[in-house]
Amino acid sequence: MFYILVAAMALTGIVIVVLRAVSLAQALMGEALPLAGSSDDRGLALFDQAFTPRPGLTLLHIVPGLMFMILGPLQFVAKIRVKHLNLHRWCGRIYVASGLLVGVTALILGIVVGFGGPTETAAVTFFSLLFLIFLGLGVFRIRRSEVSAHREWMIRAFALGLAVTTMRPIAAILLALTDMSFSEILGISFWLGFSLHLIVAELWVNITRTKQTFGSATEKVQQGAPANVTRR
Ligand code: HEM
């Protein structure tokens, strides 16, 4: 059930990227985006238009975001790690490079677009830095052949990246239940969505930790022969 949910979130992430790319392409080709200012719009059209003046930065965020959503779930498939370790490594390198781009451009977007004002900028700065730190620790740990610790930091980083999908239903619920503008809702959705994912990741890491850790003898494994790659 949990894995189906994760796959559904990754698929949602792919759809989000495609929709944003289409909307950006339409705007750049001179097609009119929905007009801002209608009474039921609450700032959604303005949000759409905020990306048009920054196509390069937006693409630098969403294309690696797409790679993140495609490769992320595959990195956690035990069969791939066991049977095709080299594939796991190469996909991992692309995944980490994509993650770095996503995190750095998210930091910039949160400041230069920052549609949700200071509430959003604060949330984006905090969670982007956390995301980059988790990713960095994941790489650091596997460079030292600490497979279990690598797995845990990568779960935390992936969970934070996936939060962009949970933010959407949260924003939709707030739009339906309150009179707030979309810019107010965006900041709150960032805080709620990313905090929720951080908590769930920590719970998951803790629940699955006992099954993963076999002790110090197998924790430090030789490069190329990880001891616990068969576990999820
Ligand atoms: C640490 C993770 C991430 C953070 C903190 C983050 C942050 C941001 C920020 C700040 C914006 C601009 C919105 C604004 O400032 O008003 C944005 C836009 C966007 N991000 Fe991310 N992002 C992250 C990861 C991802 C990932 C993994 C994807 C892949 C699906 C993604 C897809 C998008 C898209 C498509 C947009 C354009 C706006 C939209 O269509 O919703 N982001 N992101």
Side-chain angles (χ1 to χ4, degrees):
M1 181 65 195
F2 190 71
Y3 294 99
I4 294 173
L5 197 65
V6 170
M9 283 193 270
L11 269 178
T12 309
I14 293 169
V15 172
I16 289 170
V17 170
V18 171
L19 291 178
R20 177 54 54 197
V22 168
S23 152
L24 194 64
Q26 281 175 335
L28 293 176
M29 285 188 304
E31 279 183 43
L33 290 174
L35 275 180
S38 67
S39 56
D40 57 349
D41 165 61
R42 289 162 67 184
L44 274 161
L46 277 178
F47 178 69
D48 265 348
Q49 290 163 15
F51 298 96
T52 316
R54 303 167 186 91
L57 180 60
T58 306
L59 285 174
L60 261 180
H61 182 68
I62 66 173
V63 175
L66 182 68
M67 296 307 292
F68 182 91
M69 292 293 175
I70 295 171
L71 294 178
L74 299 180
Q75 290 301 93
F76 292 97
V77 176
K79 264 190 189 161
I80 296 182
R81 293 199 307 270
V82 175
K83 291 191 178 162
H84 310 282
L85 185 57
N86 262 333
L87 183 68
H88 174 76
R89 284 183 174 147
W90 275 104
C91 288
R93 287 175 189 130
I94 300 169
Y95 173 81
V96 168
S98 305
L100 288 178
L101 270 174
V102 166
V104 171
T105 50
L107 265 175
I108 302 171
L109 278 169
I111 294 165
V112 301
V113 176
F115 190 79
T119 314
E120 185 209 333
T121 305
V124 169
T125 306
F126 178 69
F127 288 115
S128 301
L129 287 175
L130 213 55
F131 172 75
L132 288 169
I133 291 169
F134 289 172
L135 210 55
L137 284 170
V139 174
F140 177 71
R141 291 302 188 168
I142 200 59
R143 299 298 301 167
R144 295 168 56 122
S145 304
E146 294 168 6
V147 179
S148 295
H150 163 67
R151 169 189 165 272
E152 292 186 2
W153 289 116
M154 285 309 192
I155 287 174
R156 293 182 180 108
F158 184 56
L160 276 190
L162 272 188
V164 291
T165 61
T166 303
M167 277 178 58
R168 320 258 148 178
I170 292 177
I173 292 169
L174 290 175
L175 269 174
L177 296 184
T178 71
D179 290 331
M180 285 190 283
S181 69
F182 185 66
S183 83
E184 289 170 301
I185 286 175
L186 192 63
I188 299 171
S189 308
F190 260 107
W191 280 112
L192 290 179
F194 278 75
S195 303
L196 180 69
H197 275 238
L198 198 58
I199 294 167
V200 173
E202 213 45 52
L203 287 175
W204 184 253
V205 160
N206 276 283
I207 290 167
T208 55
R209 182 173 283 143
T210 45
K211 293 181 200 160
Q212 295 289 323
T213 312
F214 299 136
S216 55
T218 49
E219 173 62 17
K220 287 225 166 199
V221 292
Q222 286 180 337
Q223 287 277 352
N228 57 355
V229 287
T230 52
R231 265 109 188 129
R232 278 187 283 198

